[in-house]
Amino acid sequence: MAARESAPPAPNAGRRSERSRRAIYDAALALVVEVGYPRTTIEGIAARAGVGKQTIYRWWPSKADVLMEAFLDLAERSAREAGEQPYSIPDTGDLAADLKAVLRATVDELQDPAFDAPSRALAAEGLVNEELGRQYVAKLLEPSLQLYVERLRSAQKAGHVRPDVDPRIALELFVSPLAQRWLQYTGPISHDYTDTLVDYALYGLAPRPQA
Amino acid sequence: MAARESAPPAPNAGRRSERSRRAIYDAALALVVEVGYPRTTIEGIAARAGVGKQTIYRWWPSKADVLMEAFLDLAERSAREAGEQPYSIPDTGDLAADLKAVLRATVDELQDPAFDAPSRALAAEGLVNEELGRQYVAKLLEPSLQLYVERLRSAQKAGHVRPDVDPRIALELFVSPLAQRWLQYTGPISHDYTDTLVDYALYGLAPRPQA
């Protein structure tokens, strides 16, 4: 569920500001886990990162913006560490295999504590803070869902998905169950589980007539 | 997504204690919306309900228990007001029609502010408080999901769902997308939307061979 959004706002890209940016991201993610979103402040992030708060204000307009950038960066690093190409879905011509591969990688990412705790804290706040929730969706979630839309459109062109199917709804049949199990602890997640979701979604629950 | 759990712990069921119980539920739901779960206390609920806190402790062991019961009661009242039979899924023999009817009623319930705000507050806390999250699932969510399991098993017996399908996973193809759109503001919810989910889940995204 990594997003492929814009690069961070380009500070003067010297080594020192890169180090500051990394420290600010780490501080923001750690604080949102420890004290929650409402009590995370620019001042708190600055103190923990060892930078002046003006440094943060110069690069980001608000704490929500710092956190969104920190998450984009986290998701990208997490994908690279897992040996995945971030922000892409393969198109080998085998839709089931491609979806299974991406969802297996997502399961691994969701099970990584470095990703789980801050994502969970931000998602929780987004449930009761509609403005933040909508930002979270627009900046982090929807861009990665659009990758599924593109993959499903390509499958429609290849005749592997019915032409009348709306790809933006279709992707939810396998993405949303995984998201709910992970976020709400409604069940275990595993590669077998996401493989099953893909098979059910593609071939349907009802018996299929023989060709 | 109403649950069909146990009746409230039976106080001496006179009119006065029924009135107190109702006042306690209302106070608990209002407080969790206004100040959030962590700052909702038994003392606060008692003060707002105009009862002694011993009255609450006599009936419920913790604030989590009061809130769970308040939600069960809310879901039941909400279903009855909508003219629905709470805690049931019809079995007319037409699986698609039965699932669509229940999901349409769920959409109506989720769009009711009396249900939306407290449910959202409790769900948000459940994301970051694993113990509460697991209670929420066990007491409120899973019992209603089991109704779908039963309906899908009945459909398997009737030959309308493939025998190798796991009903507990299958239900997530239409329940989880609705839950995610509602909770995370990832998209609008409507009767058309849930009808579409049911059709996609039953018949699959891939083209079906002609019978």
Side-chain angles (χ1 to χ4, degrees):
Chain A
M1 304 204 201
R4 50 155 185 185
E5 266 284 304
S6 58
N12 290 336
R15 214 176 291 163
R16 242 174 67 197
S17 60
E18 177 56 31
R19 210 159 53 216
S20 297
R21 192 163 61 82
R22 164 79 40 232
I24 290 165
Y25 287 166
D26 290 346
L29 294 173
L31 276 174
V32 83
V33 171
E34 286 169 26
V35 304
Y37 181 85
R39 287 194 284 168
T40 294
T41 60
I42 294 279
E43 286 75 6
I45 297 171
R48 189 168 184 134
V51 304
K53 68 181 181 174
Q54 284 315 315
T55 302
I56 300 184
Y57 281 122
R58 195 164 63 236
W59 295 342
W60 297 279
S62 74
K63 72 172 175 176
D65 292 285
V66 182
L67 271 164
M68 297 293 165
E69 301 280 356
F71 270 91
L72 287 170
D73 178 71
L74 174 67
E76 185 167 340
R77 275 185 295 151
S78 168
R80 288 195 197 284
E81 277 162 25
E84 308 289 331
Q85 188 63 29
Y87 322 143
S88 75
I89 295 181
D91 189 349
T92 66
D94 181 340
L95 177 63
D98 293 346
L99 294 176
K100 285 175 186 180
V102 171
L103 289 167
R104 283 171 173 232
T106 303
V107 166
D108 296 343
E109 185 181 57
L110 296 176
Q111 287 177 331
D112 175 356
F115 185 89
D116 176 90
S119 304
R120 193 174 280 289
L122 192 64
E125 181 67 15
L127 265 50
V128 288
N129 176 341
E130 184 169 348
E131 164 60 22
L132 183 77
R134 292 192 183 278
Q135 273 199 53
Y136 173 84
V137 170
K139 294 191 180 167
L140 296 172
L141 199 51
E142 192 62 34
S144 52
L145 298 183
Q146 285 301 317
L147 302 176
Y148 288 99
V149 170
E150 287 164 29
R151 184 64 189 85
L152 290 168
R153 286 221 179 95
S154 154
Q156 282 178 314
K157 281 184 197 135
H160 301 150
V161 166
R162 285 186 281 123
D164 58 311
V165 160
D166 177 341
R168 182 58 189 78
I169 297 178
L171 68 90
E172 297 175 46
L173 271 68
F174 39 84
V175 166
S176 298
L178 175 59
Q180 188 176 29
R181 282 200 177 201
W182 168 62
L183 261 184
Q184 295 198 280
Y185 303 105
T186 48
I189 64 175
S190 67
H191 292 182
D192 272 357
Y193 167 66
T194 48
D195 285 1
T196 300
L197 290 174
V198 169
D199 288 331
Y200 288 3
L202 292 184
Y203 306 111
L205 307 175
R208 294 177 81 84
Q210 299 303 312
Chain B
M1 304 206 197
R4 49 157 189 187
E5 266 283 304
S6 58
N12 291 335
R15 215 174 292 163
R16 242 176 65 197
S17 59
E18 176 55 30
R19 209 159 51 215
S20 297
R21 193 163 60 82
R22 164 79 39 231
I24 290 163
Y25 286 166
D26 290 345
L29 294 172
L31 275 175
V32 84
V33 172
E34 287 169 26
V35 304
Y37 181 86
R39 287 194 284 169
T40 296
T41 60
I42 294 279
E43 287 74 8
I45 297 171
R48 187 166 184 137
V51 304
K53 67 180 181 174
Q54 285 315 315
T55 302
I56 300 184
Y57 281 122
R58 195 164 64 240
W59 294 342
W60 296 279
S62 73
K63 73 172 175 178
D65 292 285
V66 182
L67 270 165
M68 297 291 165
E69 300 282 354
F71 270 91
L72 287 170
D73 178 72
L74 173 67
E76 187 166 339
R77 276 184 294 150
S78 168
R80 286 195 199 284
E81 277 163 26
E84 309 287 332
Q85 187 63 28
Y87 322 142
S88 75
I89 294 180
D91 190 349
T92 66
D94 181 342
L95 177 63
D98 293 346
L99 294 177
K100 287 175 185 178
V102 171
L103 289 169
R104 283 171 174 233
T106 303
V107 167
D108 296 343
E109 185 180 57
L110 296 177
Q111 287 178 330
D112 176 357
F115 185 90
D116 175 90
S119 304
R120 194 174 280 287
L122 193 64
E125 182 66 16
L127 264 51
V128 288
N129 175 340
E130 183 167 349
E131 165 61 22
L132 183 76
R134 291 192 183 279
Q135 273 198 56
Y136 173 84
V137 170
K139 293 190 180 167
L140 296 172
L141 199 51
E142 193 61 34
S144 52
L145 298 183
Q146 285 301 317
L147 302 175
Y148 288 99
V149 170
E150 288 164 28
R151 183 65 189 83
L152 290 168
R153 286 222 179 93
S154 156
Q156 282 178 314
K157 282 184 195 131
H160 301 151
V161 166
R162 286 184 281 124
D164 57 311
V165 160
D166 178 339
R168 181 59 187 76
I169 297 178
L171 68 90
E172 297 175 46
L173 272 68
F174 38 84
V175 167
S176 298
L178 175 59
Q180 188 176 29
R181 282 200 178 200
W182 169 62
L183 261 184
Q184 295 199 281
Y185 304 105
T186 47
I189 64 174
S190 67
H191 293 182
D192 272 357
Y193 168 66
T194 48
D195 285 1
T196 301
L197 290 174
V198 169
D199 288 331
Y200 288 3
L202 291 184
Y203 305 111
L205 306 175
R208 294 178 82 83
Q210 299 302 314

